[in-house]
Amino acid sequence: MSIQKDLKKEGIQVITKLDTLISNDICKSVSRRIIETFPDFDFTQEDLYQKLLELTMYRAKMIEGMSEANYYYKDSSIYFNENIEYSDIEEFAIHECIHHLQKVQDENGNLLKLGLCNYNNLKPSALALNEAAVQYTSSLIIGIEPDYEKYYGISLFTPSPSYYPLECSLLNQILFFTGTDSLFKSTLFSNDEFKNKIIELSSEKTYNTIIKLLDEILKHEEKIVILNNKFKLLEDGNSKIDKINIKIDLIKDKISKLYIKTQNIIIKEFFTSEFDKIQELEELEHFRRKLYKYSDIIGSIEGYDYFDNFYIEMMNKLEHKCNILENGGTKTALSKKRVNPIFVFFQKLFKKDYFKELNM
């Protein structure tokens, strides 16, 4: 398929090439901001600048609701929505410039990887995870503040309130366990450190399940954009309007369920794996504090109680494990048996629907 046909398929219609001086300034500024954000990483501003100079930048008409900028790897180009103000282009460019840095091709020019996303016969795997990783990284470079938002009936905390908010929210929950170092390395150098870290802290099955669910969320979000654009072309009173609205509502419900399903898997698999590794009272106390703190970053829909129930269940298990450790069941610095009032206190809180009261 030719480049022009690819662009048409994505709803991109080129208007004009961006002035070379402007695009060069963008490349210089983006390379500087990346270096300032990641000073300890193994690249220089000049190396990044020269790499980004491979890019050609265009203004284009684009489908409303899709990304405001789009990177195309075959011709190393970035297409910016014509509606973007020139003063805002650089912020949108950061995400797409990172995609260019991620690109790994074989000797025939076939795309092999974009960061965390692998391509097999051009079929992407972990596409949504990579988009979330790039947006998370871009948000850090730009200085976007994380915030609480509501999408598709989900009240959530996200590092990127405006772009890929659900995907970034779920990624943020994974980072609660993995830390960010391996994420940034995999995002900027297209290696498997972050993937391997997730597998290490949960399992390969968990990793594969999460990336598939995230990809499903992204696909459904794109379906809504397409339906919204069809809706705008219809005149008032058209019989298709109600049908489109019903379809959109159904897809939104699917997205909400996929988000909660993904979140519950993250909660269960990561915390259970960490719990099983506890061998000392100090680790146990750290786990308890971590579990309690996790409530600050979860998403919630009406009637959601999975985390509350999981918390109570884990508190019971912690109390049992604490008794074992205090009686010398495993290595511990404490040999004197005692009752731990902390667990009793938090159990009572949650049995009184503490989180439900907190969220009111």
Side-chain angles (χ1 to χ4, degrees):
M1 187 180 290
S2 69
I3 291 174
Q4 291 303 318
K5 286 183 179 179
D6 283 347
L7 295 177
K8 186 177 180 180
K9 184 179 178 181
E10 296 297 325
I12 298 173
Q13 182 181 341
V14 176
I15 297 175
T16 184
K17 182 180 176 182
L18 207 61
D19 183 86
T20 302
L21 289 176
I22 294 176
S23 61
N24 287 354
D25 283 345
I26 290 172
C27 292
K28 185 177 292 185
S29 181
V30 170
S31 61
R32 174 185 56 79
R33 294 173 79 169
I34 292 175
I35 288 294
E36 289 175 351
T37 307
F38 305 103
D40 298 328
F41 279 18
D42 189 22
F43 42 50
T44 67
Q45 183 176 340
E46 183 60 27
D47 290 339
L48 287 180
Y49 177 55
Q50 291 301 320
K51 180 68 176 176
L52 295 181
L53 283 179
E54 299 171 358
L55 290 163
T56 306
M57 303 183 187
Y58 297 93
R59 300 279 274 181
K61 290 184 178 180
M62 301 171 71
I63 296 176
E64 188 175 344
M66 288 294 192
S67 300
E68 296 295 335
N70 199 305
Y71 170 71
Y72 192 59
Y73 78 92
K74 287 185 179 179
D75 62 350
S76 297
S77 296
I78 299 176
Y79 299 89
F80 296 101
N81 193 318
E82 63 175 336
N83 297 322
I84 299 175
E85 297 290 337
Y86 273 96
S87 58
D88 296 329
I89 283 181
E90 184 180 318
E91 291 198 358
F92 290 104
I94 291 173
H95 185 110
E96 310 310 323
C97 284
I98 292 175
H99 276 319
H100 183 63
L101 296 176
Q102 291 184 319
K103 182 173 67 173
V104 179
Q105 294 173 289
D106 65 16
E107 57 186 13
N108 297 317
N110 297 314
L111 186 62
L112 300 177
K113 282 179 73 70
L114 271 182
L116 289 82
C117 182
N118 291 295
Y119 286 81
N120 182 14
N121 296 323
L122 296 182
K123 185 178 180 180
S125 173
L127 175 64
L129 179 63
N130 187 57
E131 288 296 349
V134 174
Q135 185 55 37
Y136 185 98
T137 305
S138 301
S139 296
L140 182 65
I141 293 170
I142 296 168
I144 295 173
E145 291 293 329
D147 206 352
Y148 292 90
E149 296 289 344
K150 189 168 186 176
Y151 289 95
Y152 312 117
I154 312 165
S155 299
L156 53 84
F157 177 79
T158 178
S160 179
S162 300
Y163 301 98
Y164 303 105
L166 274 66
E167 293 85 351
C168 286
S169 171
L170 292 167
L171 173 61
N172 189 54
Q173 294 187 40
I174 296 172
L175 293 174
F176 185 85
F177 301 95
T178 65
T180 57
D181 188 61
S182 61
L183 173 79
F184 294 140
K185 288 179 180 176
S186 290
T187 303
L188 296 172
F189 298 110
S190 292
N191 62 43
D192 289 333
E193 282 197 36
F194 187 57
K195 172 185 175 180
N196 293 337
K197 190 69 175 178
I198 293 174
I199 293 172
E200 174 194 338
L201 297 177
S202 56
S203 68
E204 187 168 2
K205 180 182 177 181
T206 299
Y207 172 79
N208 290 329
T209 301
I210 288 172
I211 63 172
K212 287 177 182 177
L213 288 169
L214 286 170
D215 283 343
E216 281 297 305
I217 290 172
L218 185 59
K219 286 178 185 177
H220 285 306
E221 288 177 328
E222 290 172 352
K223 287 178 183 178
I224 289 178
V225 171
I226 293 170
L227 287 171
N228 277 331
N229 279 282
K230 286 184 179 180
F231 181 88
K232 290 174 183 177
L233 295 175
L234 300 175
E235 296 180 357
D236 290 342
N238 192 305
S239 60
K240 292 182 179 179
I241 289 178
D242 288 340
K243 291 181 180 179
I244 290 177
N245 279 328
I246 291 171
K247 284 183 180 180
I248 291 175
D249 287 340
L250 288 173
I251 295 172
K252 286 181 177 180
D253 185 59
K254 286 181 181 179
I255 291 173
S256 176
K257 289 177 179 176
L258 285 167
Y259 176 95
I260 293 299
K261 183 178 180 179
T262 309
Q263 174 174 275
N264 291 349
I265 288 171
I266 294 170
I267 291 168
K268 179 181 178 182
E269 298 302 327
F270 281 90
F271 274 117
T272 300
S273 177
E274 187 169 331
F275 174 83
D276 290 342
K277 296 173 185 176
I278 295 174
Q279 295 187 22
E280 299 187 357
L281 286 173
E282 186 177 351
E283 295 171 343
L284 187 145
E285 177 61 15
H286 174 74
F287 180 92
R288 182 194 65 77
R289 293 180 182 276
K290 192 171 182 177
L291 181 61
Y292 180 71
K293 190 176 179 181
Y294 196 80
S295 63
D296 294 335
I297 63 170
I298 64 171
S300 183
I301 59 174
E302 186 177 354
Y304 180 72
D305 60 2
Y306 180 87
F307 182 75
D308 292 9
N309 294 332
F310 182 83
Y311 187 99
I312 294 171
E313 178 187 347
M314 293 307 296
M315 291 298 289
N316 288 328
K317 289 182 178 180
L318 284 171
E319 184 175 10
H320 178 67
K321 198 159 196 171
C322 177
N323 291 332
I324 294 174
L325 290 173
E326 289 183 333
N327 283 284
T330 315
K331 275 202 235 173
T332 175
L334 301 176
S335 58
K336 187 176 180 181
K337 185 177 179 180
R338 61 184 174 84
V339 176
N340 194 330
I342 296 175
F343 297 111
V344 177
F345 172 71
F346 280 99
Q347 278 181 299
K348 288 180 179 179
L349 281 178
F350 278 82
K351 286 176 181 177
K352 292 180 180 179
D353 294 324
Y354 173 71
F355 270 121
K356 291 178 183 177
E357 294 175 7
L358 187 65
N359 292 327
M360 288 178 63

